[in-house]
């Protein structure tokens, strides 16, 4: 029987209420040295990727978010108890450093959409009919130029966002690689006491740039700042 | 752990936007391209391999397109050469589309997460 690992937490010594995790299994607290880990038994070798399991994972990881900041494992992490103990023991210092980084903080998320015709670009001009191969390359040229211009715009918006949120954000992970609509996605590590100020600042920014469509969400566990998945894959499995 | 002004109890996660439909559409694109490495069976292994190979072909195809556009802009191609190059790339795109359909893959599937470096395409 393997263990499904949800997260590593500190300052929690017992579960105040029973928790149901992935596949409806009871979540339990496993103590390894000074760390506590939320785990549940899992009978198989692979976790089905479905809505219920994803929600159960997120709910379990977030179950103590109002009290302490967890280091989440990636969805679907299955290990034996021995592997988990060995991993935590061997990487105690690195895990402690990650806990130090996120302690007292939560992750907040911002996504910004700017559709192509909202950034002031003129619509494509109707041109004289061309041969198919030439027309194909001309269209590709338009696509490439548009993509480059959106990448420049995304960097500008990212800089603006970073400047304006600097006071309330401890760390930022930004993806300014725009798609057709989504201009950028940012994850911010925010101290709990600054969450309201963070939200208010974003509301002001939204009013300042009405042409940008904002989605902000949180608080979440710091998935973007505490990825222990890679270490786990290479170190244990 | 005690709750205090320094450690306030947080509310449930909130999501705020005035453009929910647009973001739902975007998030669907993301979920559609989630890695399928967790569900392992014969069919998904075959599809996963096709995804990997087609992603690399798509990456190279895009590089070729950029190079062709650059050469076109540079003025070192005759109109006939531009037409020939355009037709070749058009056929390559059509062929790749055919292969994607055959393996049940969408445009969003053809990408690789390179970790800290970002995504391949």
């Amino acid at each position: 029987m393997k263990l499904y690992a949800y997260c590593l937490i500190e300052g929690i010594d017992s579960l105040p209420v029973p928790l149901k995790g992935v596949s409806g299994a009871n979540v339990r607290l496993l103590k390894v040295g000074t760390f506590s880990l939320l785990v549940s038994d899992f009978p198989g070798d692979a976790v089905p990727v479905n809505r219920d399991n994803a929600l159960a994972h997120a709910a379990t990881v977030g179950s103590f978010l109002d009290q302490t900041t967890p280091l989440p494992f990636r969805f679907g992490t299955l290990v034996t108890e021995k592997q988990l103990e060995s991993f935590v023991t061997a990487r105690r210092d690195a895990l402690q450093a990650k806990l130090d980084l996120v302690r007292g903080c939560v992750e907040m998320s911002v996504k910004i959409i700017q559709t192509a015709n909202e950034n002031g670009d003129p619509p494509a001009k109707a041109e004289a009919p061309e041969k198919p191969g030439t027309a194909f390359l001309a269209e590709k040229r338009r696509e490439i130029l548009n993509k480059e211009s959106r990448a420049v715009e995304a960097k500008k918006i990212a800089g603006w966002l970073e400047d304006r949120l600097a006071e309330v954000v401890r760390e930022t992970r930004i993806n300014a690689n725009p798609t057709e609509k989504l201009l950028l996605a940012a994850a911010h590590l925010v101290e709990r006491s600054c969450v309201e100020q963070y939200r208010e600042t974003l509301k002001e920014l939204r009013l300042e740039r009405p042409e940008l469509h904002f989605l902000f969400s949180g608080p979440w566990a710091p998935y973007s700042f505490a990825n222990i998945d890679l270490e786990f894959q290479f170190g244990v499995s | 752990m005690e709750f205090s002004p320094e450690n306030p109890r947080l509310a449930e996660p909130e999501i705020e936007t005035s453009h929910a439909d647009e973001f739902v559409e975007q998030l669907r694109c993301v979920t559609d391209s989630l890695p399928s490495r967790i569900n392992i069976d014969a069919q998904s292994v075959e599809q996963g391999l096709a995804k990997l190979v087609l992603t690399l072909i798509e990456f190279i195809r895009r590089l070729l397109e950029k190079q062709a556009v650059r050469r076109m802009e540079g003025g070192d191609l005759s109109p006939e050469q531009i037409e020939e190059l355009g037709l070749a790339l058009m056929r390559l795109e059509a062929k790749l589309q055919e292969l994607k359909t055959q393996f049940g893959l969408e445009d969003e599937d053809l990408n690789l997460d390179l970790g800290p470096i970002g995504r391949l395409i």
Side-chain angles (χ1 to χ4, degrees):
Chain A
M1 180 78 76
K2 286 196 169 178
L3 293 180
Y4 185 103
Y6 299 89
C7 59
L8 188 147
I9 49 178
E10 60 179 354
I12 302 292
D13 295 318
S14 62
L15 299 180
V17 288
L19 285 174
K20 292 286 180 191
V22 166
S23 300
N26 288 323
V27 176
R28 60 190 166 89
L29 205 61
L30 181 69
K31 297 285 284 183
V32 180
T34 54
F35 296 118
S36 301
L37 295 112
L38 291 183
V39 298
S40 62
D41 291 330
F42 191 84
D45 288 323
V47 183
V49 185
N50 58 41
R51 186 175 185 275
D52 287 346
N53 285 345
L55 288 176
H57 174 91
T60 305
V61 171
S63 57
F64 289 98
L65 191 59
D66 58 353
Q67 298 170 53
T68 186
T69 305
L71 289 187
F73 284 96
R74 184 170 176 154
F75 174 88
T77 301
L78 289 179
V79 282
T80 63
E81 189 165 333
K82 196 177 167 192
Q83 283 177 322
L84 193 55
E85 283 174 359
S86 157
F87 167 77
V88 172
T89 307
R91 287 169 176 72
R92 191 187 55 203
D93 291 346
L95 292 171
Q96 191 58 57
K98 281 187 176 171
L99 274 172
D100 293 343
L101 171 74
V102 301
R103 185 175 297 114
C105 293
V106 289
E107 179 170 330
M108 302 297 286
S109 159
V110 188
K111 290 181 171 55
I112 298 179
I113 280 180
Q114 182 185 45
T115 50
N117 57 6
E118 283 176 318
N119 64 0
D121 289 344
K125 219 171 36 173
E127 288 170 1
E130 294 166 322
K131 291 180 180 174
T134 309
F136 178 83
L137 272 191
E139 178 57 28
K140 289 297 167 189
R141 181 175 175 272
R142 272 192 290 275
E143 282 176 21
I144 290 168
L145 289 178
N146 184 45
K147 201 174 171 189
E148 285 172 357
S149 121
R150 280 178 66 73
V152 170
E153 182 67 11
K155 275 190 182 165
K156 272 200 271 183
I157 300 287
W160 168 71
L161 201 61
E162 200 170 343
D163 286 349
R164 300 295 297 275
L165 290 169
E167 272 183 30
V168 287
V169 165
R170 188 189 285 184
E171 287 233 3
T172 300
R173 297 279 185 276
I174 204 149
N175 177 1
N177 187 16
T179 61
E180 193 180 338
K181 279 191 167 183
L182 191 67
L183 198 61
L184 67 86
H188 293 125
L189 193 63
V190 178
E191 286 184 25
R192 287 154 195 272
S193 57
C194 295
V195 167
E196 275 317 306
Q197 194 188 345
Y198 173 89
R199 284 186 177 134
E200 289 307 313
T201 309
L202 275 179
K203 284 176 187 169
E204 286 168 18
L205 296 183
R206 189 170 59 182
L207 290 175
E208 218 173 280
R209 299 288 298 265
E211 79 279 15
L212 302 176
H213 299 178
F214 281 77
L215 177 145
F216 35 98
S217 67
W220 306 106
Y223 287 96
S224 307
F225 300 91
N227 180 4
I228 49 181
D229 168 63
L230 288 179
E231 287 179 38
F232 207 90
Q233 278 190 329
F234 295 118
V236 174
S237 299
Chain B
M1 184 169 286
E2 293 298 317
F3 298 108
S4 65
E6 290 76 36
N7 183 31
R9 180 181 278 274
L10 292 170
E12 287 291 303
E14 291 176 14
I15 298 175
E16 186 171 334
T17 183
S18 307
H19 305 275
D21 291 346
E22 288 178 45
F23 283 102
V24 166
E25 187 191 330
Q26 287 299 306
L27 290 172
R28 284 211 172 108
C29 289
V30 174
T31 53
D32 287 348
S33 62
L34 281 176
S36 56
R37 68 185 175 90
I38 299 169
N39 289 337
I40 297 175
D41 55 49
Q43 195 184 349
S44 66
V45 165
E46 188 181 77
Q47 196 189 37
L49 187 60
K51 183 180 159 178
L52 178 63
V53 172
L54 293 183
T55 298
L56 294 174
I57 295 173
E58 174 66 4
F59 178 64
I60 294 166
R61 189 186 73 79
R62 290 195 190 199
L63 283 182
L64 288 174
E65 275 181 1
K66 279 192 179 174
Q67 182 65 13
V69 167
R70 203 160 288 140
R71 290 186 68 190
M72 186 173 75
E73 284 177 330
D76 57 348
L77 293 176
S78 68
E80 291 74 26
Q81 285 174 317
I82 292 175
E83 175 63 14
E84 202 176 326
L85 198 52
L87 281 175
L89 289 170
M90 197 163 76
R91 286 183 194 125
L92 181 59
E93 188 180 70
K95 189 67 191 171
L96 195 64
Q97 187 59 47
E98 193 184 310
L99 289 169
K100 275 189 285 187
T101 309
Q102 200 173 327
F103 285 100
L105 296 166
E106 301 291 333
D107 288 346
E108 294 78 21
D109 295 325
L110 298 195
N111 215 334
L112 287 177
D113 188 349
L114 301 177
I117 303 171
R119 295 173 79 77
L120 180 68
I121 298 176

